[in-house]
Amino acid sequence: MATYRSLVVTLALLFPTPAQAQPIAGYACRADTKFGRHTLSLRQGVEAQAPAVVPANTRFTIAVHLQPGTLPGEVKGFKLKEVRDLTLRVPIPANSSYVSAHLTGGSGLNSTPTVQIEGNIAVIKVAGPIPGGANFQLPTLSVRLKSGRHGTTIETKLKGTSYDDPGLTFQAKIKWKFITTTAPVACYPNPNPPLTRTSVST
């Protein structure tokens, strides 16, 4: 039987969360602007799926479904013009080995998302631009894995432990009065509970 968990990330975006999902706190973000550093929050519904139990040395798939949402038109008094170069990182779980990864779906992104493996992390990149106030949906990430030794647990989590070790980054083009500038934004999940948990049987 598959297990489902949901993560609600705090990002100034309001995403509908599935009825069965249990909201848990999420991303803390920091924007470095010409007007100083500003902390903010993003809101992103995420539903992850994986088998509850798999045999040792067996291939299986985890899927991370990102819910649709709308970018805000304004954040803390700044007009949000657009978002570009969005990068989301998902670690390959411990007690498993990577086989393949692919993306499906996604809309309103004005570009074709890509996924690649960097070290032991699946990296989703969306060039954009996504205009402020626009509706969009990031693609679903499916990762094919091979389970490790029996008696272990495989947990799906998001990447990031601090602003200096982010799991989500993007460039935000913002306007304040007559000044328009682009600010890098770095986010990390806080807290970062497992999205799925799979037990490896004999």
Side-chain angles (χ1 to χ4, degrees):
M1 179 180 179
T3 59
Y4 299 88
R5 292 203 180 182
S6 149
L7 173 73
V8 174
V9 227
T10 314
L11 250 161
L13 313 176
L14 297 177
F15 291 78
T17 304
Q20 73 273 21
Q22 298 179 358
I24 8 180
Y27 277 114
C29 299
R30 185 180 69 191
D32 290 324
T33 77
K34 289 184 178 180
F35 316 105
R37 285 181 167 176
H38 297 270
T39 57
L40 61 145
S41 55
L42 257 196
R43 207 175 159 76
Q44 164 75 73
V46 180
E47 184 182 36
Q49 177 182 355
V53 180
V54 294
N57 300 312
T58 299
R59 294 188 177 190
F60 69 102
T61 300
I62 61 173
V64 180
H65 308 283
L66 299 151
Q67 303 299 317
T70 304
L71 276 179
E74 184 177 309
V75 179
K76 289 193 170 183
F78 296 96
K79 181 178 180 181
L80 178 61
K81 302 280 287 182
E82 65 183 27
V83 165
R84 289 180 179 266
D85 300 326
L86 185 149
T87 301
L88 177 68
R89 300 168 177 85
V90 180
I92 303 303
N95 305 316
S96 71
S97 55
Y98 170 79
V99 178
S100 63
H102 69 275
L103 301 175
T104 54
S107 62
L109 304 174
N110 293 315
S111 60
T112 301
T114 62
V115 61
Q116 59 189 41
I117 298 300
E118 297 180 0
N120 208 35
I121 300 171
V123 181
I124 302 172
K125 294 186 177 182
V126 179
I130 307 171
N135 298 321
F136 73 98
Q137 182 170 10
L138 296 174
T140 292
L141 169 66
S142 297
V143 182
R144 190 75 171 160
L145 301 172
K146 185 177 181 181
S147 58
R149 60 186 179 82
H150 69 85
T152 58
T153 300
I154 300 169
E155 294 183 338
T156 306
K157 299 183 73 174
L158 297 175
K159 173 79 169 67
T161 58
S162 68
Y163 298 129
D164 297 320
D165 177 35
L168 173 67
T169 57
F170 56 92
Q171 299 288 324
K173 188 175 183 179
I174 57 176
K175 182 178 181 180
W176 184 72
K177 294 185 178 180
F178 302 107
I179 301 173
T180 298
T181 185
T182 299
V185 181
C187 310
Y188 67 96
N190 182 31
N192 189 14
L195 299 176
T196 70
R197 184 176 285 111
T198 299
S199 298
V200 182
S201 63
T202 54

